[in-house]
């Protein structure tokens, strides 16, 4: 059998570990081989392929990023390119395609599957917002990095009696803000799931200083928004792929907070540092198990499926179900922060 692989969407630590696991499992367990397509779906549309064998995946377990490269391609090009993608897959003798990506890549994968292309999906994303799996790899690494950064901000904030706002990634879901905020003892967490009220944020900050505390740490997802009519947030429009362009919610909240409370505010935007570098041991293991089980699923004919973590076991879920909705932070999880914030 020949397996085709590609990595789509934003990169994340662990993608290379999946590639290594797919190649090793295919070669060692099945005597199969693997071909990689460069830069996500673009590699399939442009017939940009590279063979992947065991020497090629040496030392990949710990390496961040993806040796295949990743890219975003307008969804219309995917839909118009069905015939072309079939041709390229046939030309390379690919029996099953294993796309590794977030909800966008997997939506395209589910659609290809519905068109009869044999596909087994692997979920990745630091945002942890893919439904059907308890976790995605990349998330643990991003949370660890963010936690370390927030730990460091506590001391400098205290020295200057400042409010430190940290903006973390999380377009639609606040998992990184929730977990890094909880892990680092943040006093305030704002996620995209619950629009924030600037008045409440001001009250929290003022009350905390009045109680004699010397600093405030707030963690804010990049995709957070104010409650309508409470404070303005600049509109950045949409990018060429239809994604909302962010305009820096933490900076804007900080300016408003400083104006209203008179407290000194500083803002740190963590950005792509959360996605760079080596995966944590947890993500290395999860990525390896996803690659292993995706390859087994491909050989056993379980196509149209996505590998998923259920508890401690790796399961298969229909791709169409996994992409039907995003896994956002439920109110019950946000409620758990109440005892620790303020
Ligand atoms: N609805 C769709 N139909 C077909 N193809 C799509 C669709 N949505 C996304 N894609 C394809 O998948 C690619 C990756 O999607 P996207 O940029 O959202 O990244 P992702 O895989 O969701 O990862 P990330 O977590 O970084 O968002 C897109 O560039 C596009 O080519
Ligand atoms: O790398 P880009 O294209 O700026 O994308 C950033 C987005 O990708 C992610 O890192 C992963 O989905 C999001 O958290 C973030 O909004
Ligand atoms: Mg996406």
């Amino acid at each position: 059998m020949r397996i085709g692989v590609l990595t789509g969407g934003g990169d994340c630590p662990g993608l290379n570990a999946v590639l290594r696991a797919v190649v090793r499992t295919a070669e060692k367990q099945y005597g199969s081989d693997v071909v990689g397509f460069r830069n996500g779906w673009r590699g399939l549309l442009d017939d940009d392929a590279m063979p992947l064998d065991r020497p090629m995946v040496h030392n990949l377990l710990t390496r961040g990023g993806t040796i295949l490269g990743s890219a975003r391609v307008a969804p219309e090009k995917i839909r118009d390119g069905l015939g072309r993608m079939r041709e390229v897959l046939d030309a390379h003798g690919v029996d099953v395609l294993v796309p590794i990506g977030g909800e966008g890549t997997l939506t395209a994968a589910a659609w290809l599957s519905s068109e009869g292309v044999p596909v087994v999906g692997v979920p990745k994303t630091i945002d942890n917002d893919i439904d059907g799996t308890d976790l995605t790899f990349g998330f643990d690494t991003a949370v660890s990095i963010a936690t370390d950064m927030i730990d460091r901000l506590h001391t400098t904030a205290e020295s200057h009696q400042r409010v430190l706002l940290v903006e973390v990634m999380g377009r639609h879901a606040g998992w990184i803000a929730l977990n890094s905020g909880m892990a680092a003892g943040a006093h305030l967490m704002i996620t995209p799931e619950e629009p924030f009220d600037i008045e409440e944020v001001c009250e929290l900050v003022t009350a905390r200083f009045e109680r004699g505390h010397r600093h405030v740490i707030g963690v804010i997802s990049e995709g957070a928004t104010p409650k309508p009519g409470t404070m303005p947030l600049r509109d950045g429009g949409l990018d060429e792929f239809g994604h909302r362009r962010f305009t820096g919610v933490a900076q804007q909240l900080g300016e408003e907070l400083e104006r209203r409370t008179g407290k000194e505010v500083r803002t740190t935007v963590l950005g792509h540092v959360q996605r760079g570098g080596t995966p944590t041991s947890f993500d290395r293991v999860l990525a390896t198990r996803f690659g292993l089980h995706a390859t087994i699923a491909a050989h056993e004919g379980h196509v149209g499926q996505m590998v998923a973590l259920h508890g401690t076991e790796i399961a298969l879920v229909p791709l169409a179900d996994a992409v039907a909705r995003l896994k956002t932070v439920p109110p019950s999880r946000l409620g758990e922060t109440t005892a620790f914030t303020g």
Side-chain angles (χ1 to χ4, degrees):
M1 168 177 282
R2 178 165 294 161
I3 292 183
V5 282
L6 60 83
T7 52
D11 75 340
C12 81
L15 287 169
N16 278 326
V18 178
L19 298 177
R20 168 182 174 268
V22 169
V23 170
R24 288 183 71 108
T25 308
E27 286 196 11
K28 269 188 91 173
Q29 275 182 228
Y30 296 99
S32 296
D33 57 6
V34 181
V35 58
F37 294 95
R38 292 191 181 86
N39 303 319
W41 298 111
R42 194 185 294 160
L44 256 190
L45 292 166
D46 295 350
D47 191 6
D48 189 0
M50 63 194 256
L52 287 178
D53 56 14
R54 283 176 68 186
M56 298 267 320
V57 298
H58 276 161
N59 298 322
L60 281 196
L61 177 61
T62 59
R63 198 159 129 196
T66 162
I67 58 163
L68 285 180
S70 191
R72 304 191 199 272
V73 179
E76 312 80 72
K77 286 198 180 150
I78 306 277
R79 293 185 183 265
D80 295 345
L82 178 62
R84 172 71 181 146
M85 289 194 280
R86 278 195 213 276
E87 269 169 32
V88 172
L89 289 170
D90 285 347
H92 289 277
V94 171
D95 299 294
V96 179
L97 180 67
V98 176
I100 310 163
E103 102 295 339
T105 305
L106 297 173
T107 298
W111 174 73
L112 279 182
S113 170
S114 72
E115 294 290 334
V117 178
V119 168
V120 178
V122 176
K124 71 88 220 176
T125 170
I126 65 164
D127 290 1
N128 194 39
D129 58 2
I130 307 288
D131 202 33
T133 181
D134 292 353
L135 290 168
T136 52
F137 64 86
F139 173 61
D140 185 67
T141 306
V143 169
S144 302
I145 295 167
T147 301
D148 184 39
M149 298 296 138
I150 301 165
D151 283 349
R152 287 167 191 280
L153 291 171
H154 274 284
T155 55
T156 175
E158 236 174 339
S159 305
H160 294 272
Q161 294 159 58
R162 282 174 175 157
V163 179
L164 241 308
L165 298 181
V166 189
E167 185 174 300
V168 296
M169 281 187 168
R171 179 167 276 281
H172 307 288
W175 293 107
I176 298 177
L178 177 77
N179 278 21
S180 64
M182 234 182 184
H187 311 114
L188 165 72
M189 286 160 235
I190 299 177
T191 70
E193 288 82 359
E194 270 188 14
F196 64 88
D197 185 336
I198 179 72
E199 275 298 329
E200 286 171 16
V201 176
C202 291
E203 276 163 27
L204 183 150
V205 165
T206 306
R208 205 178 140 70
F209 280 107
E210 277 174 5
R211 290 202 308 276
H213 293 290
R214 296 174 57 83
H215 75 304
V216 180
I217 300 280
V219 184
I220 298 146
S221 305
E222 61 185 354
T225 51
K227 276 189 181 153
T230 54
M231 71 164 254
L233 185 67
R234 279 195 298 282
D235 180 10
L238 301 178
D239 69 15
E240 56 185 315
F241 307 111
H243 297 147
R244 189 178 131 217
R245 234 187 244 115
F246 295 128
T247 57
V249 61
Q251 179 65 30
Q252 293 172 69
L253 169 62
E255 284 164 15
E256 192 67 19
L257 197 56
E258 204 166 60
R259 199 177 63 76
R260 294 190 187 209
T261 64
K263 296 292 171 195
E264 216 182 353
V265 182
R266 292 288 188 275
T267 304
T268 301
V269 180
L270 293 187
H272 291 82
V273 75
Q274 295 160 93
R275 267 176 30 193
T278 189
T280 57
S281 54
F282 181 90
D283 280 339
R284 292 177 198 180
V285 173
L286 183 59
T288 298
R289 294 180 76 203
F290 275 177
L292 166 72
H293 285 275
T295 310
I296 295 172
H299 283 85
E300 292 184 352
H302 300 305
V303 293
Q305 306 288 309
M306 179 188 87
V307 290
L309 182 69
H310 287 175
T312 57
E313 299 303 311
I314 305 297
L316 292 175
V317 296
L319 261 172
D321 293 352
V323 299
R325 71 198 74 76
L326 278 178
K327 186 183 70 186
T328 51
V329 179
S332 60
R333 286 298 304 275
L334 292 174
E336 286 177 3
T337 64
T338 311
F340 308 102
T341 48

